[in-house]
Amino acid sequence: MIVDLARKIIDVLLVWLVLYYVLKSLRKNVKMILLFKGIIFIIALVIVSKIFNLVTIGYLLDYVLEWGILAIIVIFQPEIRNVLEQLGRSQLLGRHKVLTVDEREKVVYEIVTAMEAMKKTRTGALIIIERDNSLNDYIEKSKKIYADISSELLVTLFFPNNPLHDGGVIIQGDKITSARAVFPTSDNLKISKRLGTRHRAALGISELTDCIALIVSEETGRLSVAIGGELHYNLSTDEVKLLLLEGLRPKQNMVIDEEEEEEEEHAE
């Protein structure tokens, strides 16, 4: 009895887990959202046709259901592949989550200091910070470094005469993992035509993963941040710092938060 109950609970939890990750992946994919809505609409029509015994529409829907799955796989093959790739890149524990508060603040300080220096000299830069979604696919095709983060190293990597200055730098935890990484550019039609390849690449990788993409414009020196397919353009160094601290802060357990609050109240 207990084994059967446990099996049913696990079965339901697995279904909800799959649905959660699928819906999470669909959230930023407009084409897949439209496809999902279309499937729901067809299912609703099938239910209505069964209830009211609508023979003709039911007959047509049977053909749609019979061949529709194959048609969907063929037509939406790129979108389905992207969703599956995103699910495969998910990590249970991103490296940024194991950093201490001091380590995280040092990482942010070094990155912001480097961006401020490159802003003054108008040195173009693209810095990608990994979070929960793995960036190993892009690291494999780039130049491996694996060095401690420092503002001096970041500035040197993007120096125009440096052979590694093209492409982007990937950061995992408190390490610069690789340089000269190439990322897919966004095909979002709403992007301003004034934005260059760096901004489009930053948006592209932020649409595919949950990374934080930092950009220093070579033409204007302006700082920008791309997160979740959204571009925060022309930011101050303080604004970049706040976005980084918030984006790299691990979600804390509510129980722990409440205990800390109680300790602070007692201390007062």
Side-chain angles (χ1 to χ4, degrees):
M1 183 67 179
I2 297 176
V3 175
D4 290 338
L5 180 61
R7 187 184 295 112
K8 291 178 181 178
I9 292 173
I10 293 172
D11 189 21
V12 173
L13 287 175
L14 286 174
V15 171
W16 277 110
L17 187 63
V18 170
L19 285 175
Y20 168 76
Y21 278 108
V22 169
L23 292 175
K24 185 179 179 182
S25 301
L26 291 178
R27 188 177 50 162
K28 297 295 182 181
N29 194 319
V30 177
K31 291 182 180 179
M32 291 299 288
I33 289 174
L34 294 175
L35 173 62
F36 191 69
K37 288 180 179 179
I39 292 173
I40 292 176
F41 179 71
I42 291 174
I43 292 173
L45 280 180
V46 171
I47 294 172
V48 171
S49 68
K50 296 294 183 182
I51 293 174
F52 295 99
N53 196 24
L54 304 177
V55 179
T56 306
I57 189 69
Y59 183 74
L60 292 174
L61 287 172
D62 287 340
Y63 272 101
V64 171
L65 292 174
E66 185 177 353
W67 298 101
I69 296 176
L70 180 61
I72 287 172
I73 292 173
V74 173
I75 296 171
F76 292 94
Q77 185 266 339
E79 286 75 19
I80 294 172
R81 186 184 68 240
N82 287 337
V83 170
L84 293 175
E85 286 178 352
Q86 187 169 346
L87 290 173
R89 283 192 293 263
S90 296
Q91 303 177 123
L92 292 176
L93 189 63
R95 300 190 189 189
H96 68 288
K97 292 182 178 178
V98 299
L99 297 177
T100 65
V101 174
D102 290 340
E103 289 172 336
R104 190 164 62 250
E105 289 182 352
K106 183 181 185 300
V107 167
V108 172
Y109 170 78
E110 296 294 343
I111 293 173
V112 172
T113 301
M115 292 182 71
E116 189 173 15
M118 290 186 285
K119 175 181 180 180
K120 293 177 181 177
T121 58
R122 294 191 179 183
T123 302
L126 175 59
I127 302 170
I128 309 299
I129 305 174
E130 181 189 82
R131 291 201 287 179
D132 290 340
N133 295 154
S134 173
L135 298 175
N136 286 336
D137 289 347
Y138 304 99
I139 293 171
E140 288 299 320
K141 300 174 184 177
S142 61
K143 182 65 178 179
K144 315 297 188 306
I145 295 178
Y146 202 74
D148 292 334
I149 291 178
S150 70
S151 56
E152 294 85 358
L153 179 56
L154 285 171
V155 172
T156 302
L157 286 172
F158 288 109
F159 188 72
N161 292 331
N162 190 317
L164 300 178
H165 82 280
D166 285 332
V169 162
I170 297 177
I171 292 175
Q172 293 179 309
D174 60 349
K175 303 290 183 183
I176 299 175
T177 305
S178 66
R180 207 171 184 177
V182 178
F183 306 102
T185 56
S186 175
D187 56 0
N188 190 333
L189 299 177
K190 295 181 180 179
I191 302 174
S192 172
K193 294 181 179 179
R194 295 179 298 174
L195 298 180
T197 306
R198 284 191 183 89
H199 291 83
R200 292 179 179 275
L203 273 173
I205 190 63
S206 73
E207 290 170 352
L208 295 174
T209 72
D210 67 341
C211 72
I212 301 176
L214 309 170
I215 315 102
V216 181
S217 173
E218 185 175 355
E219 290 151 0
T220 63
R222 291 175 177 172
L223 309 180
S224 303
V225 179
I227 304 177
E230 295 182 7
L231 181 67
H232 305 269
Y233 184 68
N234 193 19
L235 302 178
S236 66
T237 51
D238 287 337
E239 289 173 325
V240 173
K241 181 178 179 180
L242 289 174
L243 278 174
L244 282 176
L245 288 172
E246 179 62 27
L248 295 177
R249 182 172 62 87
K251 295 179 181 178
Q252 297 179 341
N253 191 297
M254 292 300 295
V255 176
I256 296 175
D257 290 343
E258 290 174 0
E259 290 177 354
E260 290 177 352
E261 289 176 1
E262 289 177 1
E263 289 176 1
E264 289 176 359
E265 289 176 359
H266 288 310
E268 292 175 356

